[in-house]
Amino acid sequence: MTLPGDTQLAAMLERDGVNKDVTAVVDLIDGVIASANGDTRTDWLDLVGGKLGDDLKSALLTLRDERKSEFLYAKDGYDAAARIEALRKYLAAKGVDGFVVPRSDEHQGEYVPACAERLAWLTGFTGSAGAAVVLADKAAVFVDGRYTIQVRQQVNRDIYEYRHLVDEPVVGWIHDNLKSGQKLAYDPHLHTVQQAEHLRGACEGVGAELVAIEPNPIDVLWHKQPAMPVAPVRPHLLEHAGKSNAEKRKQIAEMLEKLECDSAVISAPDSIAWLLNIRGGDVPHIPLPLGYAIINGDASVDLFMDERKFPAETVKWLENDATIRQPGELEEALGALGNQSVRLDEATASDWLRMKLSDAGATMRIGRDPVALPKACKNEVELEGSRKAHKRDGEKIIRYFAWLEEAAADGSIDERMAADKLLALRAEDPLFRDTSFETIPGSGPNGALCHYRNTPETNRKLSPGEIFLIDSGGQYLDGTTDITRTTVIGQPTQEHRDRFTRVLKGHIALARAIFPVGTTGQQLDTLARAPLWEAGLDFDHGTGHGVGSYLGVHEGPQRISKAPNKIALKPGMILSNEPGFYKEGEYGIRIENLIAVVEVDGPVGADRPMLGFETLTFSPIERKLIDPELMTKDELQWLNDYHAQVYAMYADDLDEDLLEWLQKATAPIKKRVA
């Protein structure tokens, strides 16, 4: 249709009872565009208000489509030299000698909105972790091991020095390059309290000064910066949440009393979503509404979130649970917490929050977010939802691999096609809302990159004789899934079978583990690595991460890893079980199921309560890659029992051809008779 002019659009808005002018509607649409999937979703139309006629709906969607190209920084005539020069001029005018640019937003989330991609705007680097430091005469960009190739492809080495984020950290570079008497600026909204302390220590160590700067210089210079995201905030119904908002608020208020805190500032959006039983869509893959909350000792909550995100149903949903306030009111609210003891989250609370509370005279108690542990321990409704989501997800995986076995045989399928097919299958589920992360379809050497990202430049065919690893997951209203399966196109080598079987042995050891209450994931991590260690092998990522309930696929505080972690595993926690092996330049192997911590009966004579794991993910494990001679009788029994469960779970739901495929994929495996 032809896009109406402002006068005609205003008339249509008035006709349909919309209490917004054209400018407000355009601003709303810009926020929608900046949200996750905002260029395709239509559920935002009820945020406009009124009773929209079909002609106005069509006009608004057309307006959205015409405006969306205006806010893509990649199309903004990127010139790295011009941008860093503009930044240096701005900093000089403000009397500072440098600026730190993290790849983070105000909430330290894994995924950030488009408006927070400041590192990408400045340097061209689009990875999910990194930083840059710009001084008057030099600059450096910092990335971790996942992005050492990508940073060289995207960032001009004549402008930026390449540094490793972990081995050659920001503070070390500052210490080596900042001079006595100089001032290094930082945006206090984008650094945690601890991060700011480290920066301050590095500066003071050379006689320099760390100074807060507002507004963020890049926000001033970024002329086509996307708007703050505006995606609808929806109720997360009790049938999925399992516990009411009131029950959760009371639980957290009781925790605050034990912590001797009068209130807590909740800066992690997933904690807010859990606490108030709401979900949003501001960032990719995680159904989060971005904002802040303050929960008080009487269990009342002030929610600081753009009111444009709230359709009438959600306002009603929250009317007895939270007072909705505009984000701009947060500073005043923090100022009113003077003489109180206030909890701040050590992982996500910004240094700006600390500064404002300090100015107000509040006593800050920095520690773990009080919502984190209750959120991690799923109630029975959430666990049952996860079981149902995994059952439906597993059926899609079965259909997928049956298709792949035939489609990839002639070498015509590439990674992108393989990923798109799986997405299409999942999207058939009416409860499916998004992938839980960007699918990782690693063929051959790409599979050896454990956080591989498929791009047009890296896309490969699935070739005969090569390993194919696909790590994927779904966000369903009743649960979050994450599964990795590894297969081989054609026939494997004996090395493939050896490495795969060792990974499988580690997976089984963790799945079968029984351990006393109080055990941490760090203590269990060795179980998954021991079969690889026996061959002088290992993998460099954690064995397991926490998983949310229609929330983040990576959720703390629980994990299974070599890294120190004092959080004991508790019933209701969901984690991944994903040992792997990666041979650089050749292939990658990973076997991942999700598991839930459950109470179990201990062996005869046990003198303390014991815990174990319930496997939630049911999908065949590639038989062609298994060498039964490397496995014990008990390991083979576990595998055959698991495959029997897979077959029984789906036998009544599949047509004859798929059932025949599944029967072969789950057939019992036995050792060869000598």
Side-chain angles (χ1 to χ4, degrees):
M1 66 171 288
T2 302
L3 186 65
D6 287 356
T7 302
Q8 184 182 356
L9 182 58
M12 296 168 72
L13 294 170
E14 182 178 3
R15 180 202 68 192
D16 291 350
V18 176
N19 190 27
K20 293 181 177 69
D21 61 21
V22 172
T23 299
V25 169
V26 170
D27 288 345
L28 172 67
I29 288 175
D30 288 347
V32 169
I33 293 168
S35 66
N37 304 316
D39 58 341
T40 58
R41 64 194 306 164
T42 61
D43 62 343
W44 57 272
L45 287 169
D46 60 350
L47 299 180
V48 178
K51 294 184 178 180
L52 308 186
D54 290 342
D55 59 340
L56 180 53
K57 289 181 181 178
S58 182
L60 293 173
L61 292 173
T62 301
L63 180 59
R64 185 271 312 271
D65 292 342
E66 291 202 354
R67 291 191 64 81
K68 65 185 180 183
S69 63
E70 293 295 315
F71 300 96
L72 300 175
Y73 62 81
K75 295 183 179 180
D76 193 21
Y78 179 71
D79 184 335
R83 290 186 180 181
I84 196 170
E85 182 61 25
L87 177 60
R88 283 171 170 153
K89 287 182 179 178
Y90 182 90
L91 296 174
K94 294 296 181 180
V96 295
D97 302 287
F99 184 56
V100 183
V101 186
R103 197 275 179 181
S104 61
D105 67 356
E106 292 84 345
H107 308 281
Q108 303 296 318
E110 179 179 4
Y111 296 99
V112 303
C115 61
E117 293 282 9
R118 299 177 180 92
L119 183 64
W121 180 88
L122 180 66
T123 68
F125 173 67
T126 61
S128 64
V133 182
V134 176
L135 301 179
D137 59 347
K138 60 186 67 175
V141 62
F142 301 78
V143 302
D144 64 28
R146 293 173 292 174
Y147 298 115
T148 53
I149 296 174
Q150 182 176 329
V151 73
R152 284 166 170 76
Q153 295 171 338
Q154 294 182 322
V155 179
N156 189 332
R157 69 179 309 127
D158 294 331
I159 300 174
Y160 293 93
E161 174 187 345
Y162 303 141
R163 301 275 293 194
H164 193 285
L165 189 62
V166 178
D167 299 336
E168 304 168 302
V170 170
V171 291
W173 192 87
I174 290 171
H175 183 275
D176 293 341
N177 292 280
L178 203 60
K179 297 180 176 61
S180 178
Q182 289 187 320
K183 294 180 179 180
L184 180 67
Y186 78 114
D187 182 344
H189 293 274
L190 305 182
H191 300 264
T192 67
V193 175
Q194 185 180 63
Q195 289 167 352
E197 287 178 352
H198 289 164
L199 291 175
R200 190 170 294 109
C203 291
E204 292 175 353
V206 295
E209 181 183 359
L210 182 71
V211 296
I213 188 170
E214 294 188 71
N216 188 299
I218 290 176
D219 294 349
V220 175
L221 300 170
W222 190 350
H223 300 305
K224 290 188 177 181
Q225 186 177 24
M228 287 292 292
V230 180
V233 178
R234 305 289 185 189
H236 188 55
L237 300 179
L238 196 60
E239 65 186 88
H240 300 311
K243 184 181 287 189
S244 71
N245 309 357
E247 290 177 284
K248 292 179 178 181
R249 289 186 289 109
K250 181 181 178 182
Q251 180 182 7
I252 302 305
E254 291 173 350
M255 291 180 62
L256 290 178
E257 184 177 9
K258 293 178 181 179
L259 292 169
E260 299 182 343
C261 290
D262 300 302
S263 60
V265 177
I266 308 299
S267 47
D270 59 332
S271 290
I272 296 171
W274 179 89
L275 178 66
L276 297 176
N277 286 344
I278 54 177
R279 298 294 189 268
D282 286 340
V283 298
H285 305 300
I286 310 178
L288 297 180
L290 298 181
Y292 294 89
I294 297 175
I295 181 168
N296 303 296
D298 62 359
S300 64
V301 171
D302 290 297
L303 177 62
F304 301 88
M305 197 172 285
D306 191 334
E307 63 184 3
R308 297 178 300 168
K309 299 178 184 180
F310 294 91
E313 63 165 344
T314 311
V315 173
K316 185 176 181 180
W317 174 262
L318 291 173
E319 62 184 356
N320 296 318
D321 297 296
T323 301
I324 300 173
R325 303 174 64 178
Q326 284 293 88
E329 298 179 60
L330 177 60
E331 184 171 354
E332 179 183 354
L334 295 172
L337 297 179
N339 300 319
Q340 287 196 23
S341 176
V342 183
R343 185 76 165 187
L344 283 181
D345 179 21
E346 60 191 1
T348 65
S350 70
D351 200 42
W352 181 85
L353 294 173
R354 176 199 62 79
M355 292 165 56
K356 297 305 173 184
L357 288 170
S358 178
D359 292 344
T363 299
M364 283 164 287
R365 296 183 181 272
I366 299 173
R368 189 170 64 241
D369 176 356
V371 175
L373 198 54
K375 173 167 58 69
C377 298
K378 312 299 182 288
N379 59 55
E380 188 51 46
V381 170
E382 291 173 315
L383 288 172
E384 183 59 24
S386 183
R387 295 182 188 107
K388 291 178 179 178
H390 276 88
K391 183 177 187 298
R392 300 193 310 275
D393 196 67
E395 182 182 352
K396 304 303 184 186
I397 297 294
I398 289 168
R399 293 180 183 276
Y400 174 75
F401 276 104
W403 165 83
L404 186 70
E405 184 176 281
E406 181 176 350
D410 62 0
S412 63
I413 301 298
D414 62 33
E415 294 170 340
R416 185 72 265 153
M417 295 164 64
D420 289 345
K421 175 65 175 181
L422 185 51
L423 174 60
L425 288 169
R426 282 193 168 112
E428 295 172 356
D429 190 314
L431 298 186
F432 177 79
R433 292 296 178 268
D434 197 357
T435 55
S436 54
F437 55 96
E438 186 174 350
T439 299
I440 301 172
S443 171
N446 287 343
L449 305 170
C450 58
H451 294 282
Y452 167 65
R453 181 183 179 189
N454 176 265
T455 67
E457 294 75 25
T458 64
N459 194 32
R460 296 183 81 252
K461 296 282 189 181
L462 278 57
S463 301
E466 287 191 339
I467 294 282
F468 176 57
L469 177 157
I470 184 162
D471 186 357
S472 68
Q475 289 284 13
Y476 301 90
L477 284 178
D478 52 352
T480 300
T481 69
D482 182 4
I483 176 174
T484 306
R485 286 295 183 264
T486 305
T487 188
V488 60
I489 310 303
Q491 295 301 313
T493 67
Q494 182 53 39
E495 179 181 302
H496 291 158
R497 298 176 74 228
D498 177 275
R499 302 308 190 251
F500 184 91
T501 306
R502 292 182 185 279
V503 171
L504 176 59
K505 287 165 67 71
H507 179 98
I508 293 171
L510 185 58
R512 297 177 62 216
I514 296 176
F515 47 93
V517 169
T519 300
T520 68
Q522 183 185 6
Q523 292 171 299
L524 297 180
D525 183 74
T526 302
L527 295 175
R529 299 178 188 273
L532 287 164
W533 286 355
E534 290 174 356
L537 309 170
D538 201 358
F539 54 95
D540 293 330
H541 56 75
T543 299
H545 55 80
V547 179
S549 180
Y550 187 43
L551 277 175
V553 75
H554 298 130
E555 176 184 85
Q558 75 276 23
R559 65 174 181 262
I560 301 172
S561 172
K562 291 179 181 179
N565 185 354
K566 297 180 180 179
I567 302 300
L569 300 181
K570 296 180 180 295
M573 288 180 170
I574 296 177
L575 302 105
S576 64
N577 173 5
E578 52 178 312
F581 174 74
Y582 311 90
K583 186 171 184 180
E584 184 176 358
E586 294 195 28
Y587 61 86
I589 293 167
R590 187 158 65 248
I591 304 170
E592 178 183 20
N593 287 344
L594 296 193
I595 52 179
V597 182
V598 294
E599 296 176 351
V600 299
D601 294 330
V604 175
D607 64 356
R608 61 198 66 197
M610 304 295 286
L611 301 173
F613 294 118
E614 172 193 351
T615 295
L616 300 173
T617 308
F618 288 95
S619 177
I621 295 170
E622 179 57 80
R623 295 173 77 258
K624 286 192 295 185
L625 284 166
I626 297 171
D627 183 352
E629 303 309 307
L630 290 175
M631 300 181 70
T632 67
K633 179 181 178 181
D634 287 344
E635 290 168 344
L636 280 172
Q637 186 64 56
W638 182 94
L639 178 65
N640 289 332
D641 288 347
Y642 175 77
H643 275 156
Q645 286 179 278
V646 173
Y647 182 81
M649 183 172 288
Y650 299 108
D652 295 334
D653 301 326
L654 304 177
D655 60 35
E656 186 175 338
D657 288 344
L658 278 171
L659 190 59
E660 182 180 352
W661 181 90
L662 181 61
Q663 190 170 26
K664 293 177 181 177
T666 59
I669 296 177
K670 299 179 180 179
K671 285 180 177 285
R672 294 189 297 270
V673 178

mmCIF file of all heavy atoms in Angstrom, residues 70-73 76 82-83 86 90 121 217-227:
data_model
loop_
_atom_site.group_PDB
_atom_site.id
_atom_site.type_symbol
_atom_site.label_atom_id
_atom_site.label_comp_id
_atom_site.label_asym_id
_atom_site.label_seq_id
_atom_site.Cartn_x
_atom_site.Cartn_y
_atom_site.Cartn_z
ATOM 1 N N GLU A 70 16.792 2.694 8.463
ATOM 2 C CA GLU A 70 17.461 3.909 8.924
ATOM 3 C C GLU A 70 18.362 3.662 10.123
ATOM 4 O O GLU A 70 19.192 4.503 10.464
ATOM 5 C CB GLU A 70 16.406 4.961 9.298
ATOM 6 C CG GLU A 70 15.602 5.482 8.125
ATOM 7 C CD GLU A 70 16.475 6.254 7.150
ATOM 8 O OE1 GLU A 70 17.282 7.079 7.606
ATOM 9 O OE2 GLU A 70 16.361 6.001 5.940
ATOM 10 N N PHE A 71 18.206 2.521 10.790
ATOM 11 C CA PHE A 71 18.873 2.338 12.067
ATOM 12 C C PHE A 71 19.861 1.179 12.079
ATOM 13 O O PHE A 71 20.161 0.614 13.117
ATOM 14 C CB PHE A 71 17.822 2.155 13.165
ATOM 15 C CG PHE A 71 16.908 3.339 13.271
ATOM 16 C CD1 PHE A 71 15.693 3.352 12.627
ATOM 17 C CD2 PHE A 71 17.297 4.459 13.971
ATOM 18 C CE1 PHE A 71 14.864 4.454 12.698
ATOM 19 C CE2 PHE A 71 16.476 5.565 14.053
ATOM 20 C CZ PHE A 71 15.256 5.572 13.418
ATOM 21 N N LEU A 72 20.356 0.812 10.934
ATOM 22 C CA LEU A 72 21.360 -0.239 10.850
ATOM 23 C C LEU A 72 22.729 0.411 10.722
ATOM 24 O O LEU A 72 23.062 0.986 9.694
ATOM 25 C CB LEU A 72 21.077 -1.158 9.652
ATOM 26 C CG LEU A 72 19.716 -1.873 9.687
ATOM 27 C CD1 LEU A 72 19.506 -2.660 8.397
ATOM 28 C CD2 LEU A 72 19.613 -2.791 10.882
ATOM 29 N N TYR A 73 23.522 0.309 11.789
ATOM 30 C CA TYR A 73 24.807 1.018 11.791
ATOM 31 C C TYR A 73 25.719 0.524 10.680
ATOM 32 O O TYR A 73 26.571 1.243 10.186
ATOM 33 C CB TYR A 73 25.504 0.900 13.143
ATOM 34 C CG TYR A 73 25.858 -0.491 13.569
ATOM 35 C CD1 TYR A 73 26.997 -1.129 13.090
ATOM 36 C CD2 TYR A 73 25.063 -1.180 14.474
ATOM 37 C CE1 TYR A 73 27.325 -2.409 13.480
ATOM 38 C CE2 TYR A 73 25.381 -2.468 14.873
ATOM 39 C CZ TYR A 73 26.515 -3.068 14.377
ATOM 40 O OH TYR A 73 26.838 -4.339 14.773
ATOM 41 N N ASP A 76 25.769 2.761 7.651
ATOM 42 C CA ASP A 76 25.927 4.174 7.973
ATOM 43 C C ASP A 76 27.261 4.719 7.464
ATOM 44 O O ASP A 76 27.877 5.565 8.087
ATOM 45 C CB ASP A 76 25.821 4.364 9.498
ATOM 46 C CG ASP A 76 25.659 5.818 9.889
ATOM 47 O OD1 ASP A 76 25.234 6.618 9.045
ATOM 48 O OD2 ASP A 76 25.987 6.148 11.045
ATOM 49 N N ALA A 82 37.611 7.895 10.618
ATOM 50 C CA ALA A 82 36.822 9.090 10.901
ATOM 51 C C ALA A 82 36.158 8.991 12.265
ATOM 52 O O ALA A 82 36.080 9.997 13.000
ATOM 53 C CB ALA A 82 35.780 9.287 9.808
ATOM 54 N N ARG A 83 35.704 7.827 12.620
ATOM 55 C CA ARG A 83 34.999 7.678 13.896
ATOM 56 C C ARG A 83 35.947 7.810 15.089
ATOM 57 O O ARG A 83 35.611 8.457 16.080
ATOM 58 C CB ARG A 83 34.254 6.340 13.929
ATOM 59 C CG ARG A 83 33.084 6.345 12.964
ATOM 60 C CD ARG A 83 32.215 5.111 13.051
ATOM 61 N NE ARG A 83 31.117 5.218 12.086
ATOM 62 C CZ ARG A 83 30.173 4.320 11.912
ATOM 63 N NH1 ARG A 83 30.179 3.212 12.633
ATOM 64 N NH2 ARG A 83 29.218 4.499 11.016
ATOM 65 N N ALA A 86 36.827 11.472 15.435
ATOM 66 C CA ALA A 86 35.737 12.236 16.034
ATOM 67 C C ALA A 86 35.673 12.001 17.540
ATOM 68 O O ALA A 86 35.439 12.938 18.324
ATOM 69 C CB ALA A 86 34.415 11.854 15.377
ATOM 70 N N TYR A 90 36.235 14.816 20.583
ATOM 71 C CA TYR A 90 35.225 14.998 21.626
ATOM 72 C C TYR A 90 35.850 14.854 23.007
ATOM 73 O O TYR A 90 35.579 15.658 23.918
ATOM 74 C CB TYR A 90 34.105 13.973 21.438
ATOM 75 C CG TYR A 90 32.976 14.106 22.436
ATOM 76 C CD1 TYR A 90 31.887 14.919 22.162
ATOM 77 C CD2 TYR A 90 32.999 13.419 23.648
ATOM 78 C CE1 TYR A 90 30.848 15.050 23.071
ATOM 79 C CE2 TYR A 90 31.975 13.539 24.563
ATOM 80 C CZ TYR A 90 30.900 14.357 24.274
ATOM 81 O OH TYR A 90 29.878 14.492 25.186
ATOM 82 N N TRP A 121 30.072 -0.073 16.528
ATOM 83 C CA TRP A 121 29.999 1.209 15.824
ATOM 84 C C TRP A 121 31.385 1.842 15.699
ATOM 85 O O TRP A 121 31.756 2.362 14.646
ATOM 86 C CB TRP A 121 29.064 2.168 16.563
ATOM 87 C CG TRP A 121 28.942 3.508 15.890
ATOM 88 C CD1 TRP A 121 28.067 3.860 14.909
ATOM 89 C CD2 TRP A 121 29.763 4.661 16.129
ATOM 90 N NE1 TRP A 121 28.279 5.168 14.519
ATOM 91 C CE2 TRP A 121 29.319 5.682 15.260
ATOM 92 C CE3 TRP A 121 30.822 4.938 16.995
ATOM 93 C CZ2 TRP A 121 29.898 6.951 15.226
ATOM 94 C CZ3 TRP A 121 31.397 6.206 16.970
ATOM 95 C CH2 TRP A 121 30.932 7.191 16.093
ATOM 96 N N PRO A 217 30.131 9.317 25.158
ATOM 97 C CA PRO A 217 30.578 10.038 23.954
ATOM 98 C C PRO A 217 30.114 9.402 22.650
ATOM 99 O O PRO A 217 29.807 10.113 21.683
ATOM 100 C CB PRO A 217 32.105 9.998 24.075
ATOM 101 C CG PRO A 217 32.359 9.882 25.536
ATOM 102 C CD PRO A 217 31.249 9.026 26.069
ATOM 103 N N ILE A 218 30.042 8.086 22.605
ATOM 104 C CA ILE A 218 29.625 7.434 21.365
ATOM 105 C C ILE A 218 28.152 7.710 21.084
ATOM 106 O O ILE A 218 27.743 7.888 19.934
ATOM 107 C CB ILE A 218 29.938 5.930 21.418
ATOM 108 C CG1 ILE A 218 31.457 5.739 21.360
ATOM 109 C CG2 ILE A 218 29.262 5.175 20.268
ATOM 110 C CD1 ILE A 218 31.928 4.324 21.485
ATOM 111 N N ASP A 219 27.342 7.799 22.142
ATOM 112 C CA ASP A 219 25.937 8.137 21.941
ATOM 113 C C ASP A 219 25.778 9.528 21.339
ATOM 114 O O ASP A 219 24.842 9.786 20.576
ATOM 115 C CB ASP A 219 25.185 8.066 23.267
ATOM 116 C CG ASP A 219 25.106 6.654 23.819
ATOM 117 O OD1 ASP A 219 25.441 5.706 23.080
ATOM 118 O OD2 ASP A 219 24.719 6.491 24.989
ATOM 119 N N VAL A 220 26.697 10.409 21.670
ATOM 120 C CA VAL A 220 26.660 11.764 21.110
ATOM 121 C C VAL A 220 27.047 11.742 19.631
ATOM 122 O O VAL A 220 26.453 12.441 18.800
ATOM 123 C CB VAL A 220 27.596 12.698 21.897
ATOM 124 C CG1 VAL A 220 27.652 14.086 21.253
ATOM 125 C CG2 VAL A 220 27.146 12.803 23.350
ATOM 126 N N LEU A 221 28.031 10.921 19.286
ATOM 127 C CA LEU A 221 28.575 10.905 17.927
ATOM 128 C C LEU A 221 27.808 9.998 16.971
ATOM 129 O O LEU A 221 27.886 10.185 15.753
ATOM 130 C CB LEU A 221 30.044 10.445 17.983
ATOM 131 C CG LEU A 221 30.984 11.317 18.823
ATOM 132 C CD1 LEU A 221 32.332 10.630 18.987
ATOM 133 C CD2 LEU A 221 31.159 12.689 18.189
ATOM 134 N N TRP A 222 27.076 9.030 17.488
ATOM 135 C CA TRP A 222 26.378 8.033 16.677
ATOM 136 C C TRP A 222 25.055 8.638 16.200
ATOM 137 O O TRP A 222 24.027 8.559 16.856
ATOM 138 C CB TRP A 222 26.140 6.792 17.516
ATOM 139 C CG TRP A 222 25.641 5.586 16.791
ATOM 140 C CD1 TRP A 222 25.199 5.503 15.508
ATOM 141 C CD2 TRP A 222 25.519 4.262 17.339
ATOM 142 N NE1 TRP A 222 24.812 4.218 15.207
ATOM 143 C CE2 TRP A 222 25.004 3.442 16.309
ATOM 144 C CE3 TRP A 222 25.804 3.703 18.577
ATOM 145 C CZ2 TRP A 222 24.756 2.075 16.513
ATOM 146 C CZ3 TRP A 222 25.568 2.357 18.781
ATOM 147 C CH2 TRP A 222 25.049 1.551 17.760
ATOM 148 N N HIS A 223 25.068 9.200 15.008
ATOM 149 C CA HIS A 223 23.932 9.977 14.530
ATOM 150 C C HIS A 223 22.746 9.121 14.114
ATOM 151 O O HIS A 223 21.617 9.607 14.077
ATOM 152 C CB HIS A 223 24.357 10.873 13.368
ATOM 153 C CG HIS A 223 25.440 11.847 13.734
ATOM 154 N ND1 HIS A 223 25.318 12.718 14.790
ATOM 155 C CD2 HIS A 223 26.679 12.066 13.218
ATOM 156 C CE1 HIS A 223 26.414 13.449 14.900
ATOM 157 N NE2 HIS A 223 27.267 13.061 13.962
ATOM 158 N N LYS A 224 22.977 7.871 13.765
ATOM 159 C CA LYS A 224 21.871 6.979 13.419
ATOM 160 C C LYS A 224 21.775 5.833 14.422
ATOM 161 O O LYS A 224 21.452 4.697 14.063
ATOM 162 C CB LYS A 224 22.043 6.441 12.002
ATOM 163 C CG LYS A 224 21.840 7.503 10.922
ATOM 164 C CD LYS A 224 21.816 6.878 9.530
ATOM 165 C CE LYS A 224 21.548 7.933 8.459
ATOM 166 N NZ LYS A 224 21.489 7.329 7.101
ATOM 167 N N GLN A 225 22.021 6.143 15.667
ATOM 168 C CA GLN A 225 21.935 5.134 16.720
ATOM 169 C C GLN A 225 20.496 4.625 16.845
ATOM 170 O O GLN A 225 19.552 5.419 16.890
ATOM 171 C CB GLN A 225 22.385 5.725 18.058
ATOM 172 C CG GLN A 225 22.460 4.727 19.190
ATOM 173 C CD GLN A 225 22.992 5.369 20.464
ATOM 174 O OE1 GLN A 225 22.902 6.581 20.645
ATOM 175 N NE2 GLN A 225 23.565 4.568 21.344
ATOM 176 N N PRO A 226 20.312 3.309 16.900
ATOM 177 C CA PRO A 226 18.956 2.787 17.085
ATOM 178 C C PRO A 226 18.338 3.279 18.395
ATOM 179 O O PRO A 226 19.039 3.647 19.342
ATOM 180 C CB PRO A 226 19.164 1.267 17.112
ATOM 181 C CG PRO A 226 20.442 1.059 16.378
ATOM 182 C CD PRO A 226 21.297 2.243 16.702
ATOM 183 N N ALA A 227 17.033 3.274 18.441
ATOM 184 C CA ALA A 227 16.317 3.669 19.649
ATOM 185 C C ALA A 227 16.456 2.585 20.715
ATOM 186 O O ALA A 227 16.868 1.455 20.438
ATOM 187 C CB ALA A 227 14.845 3.887 19.317
#
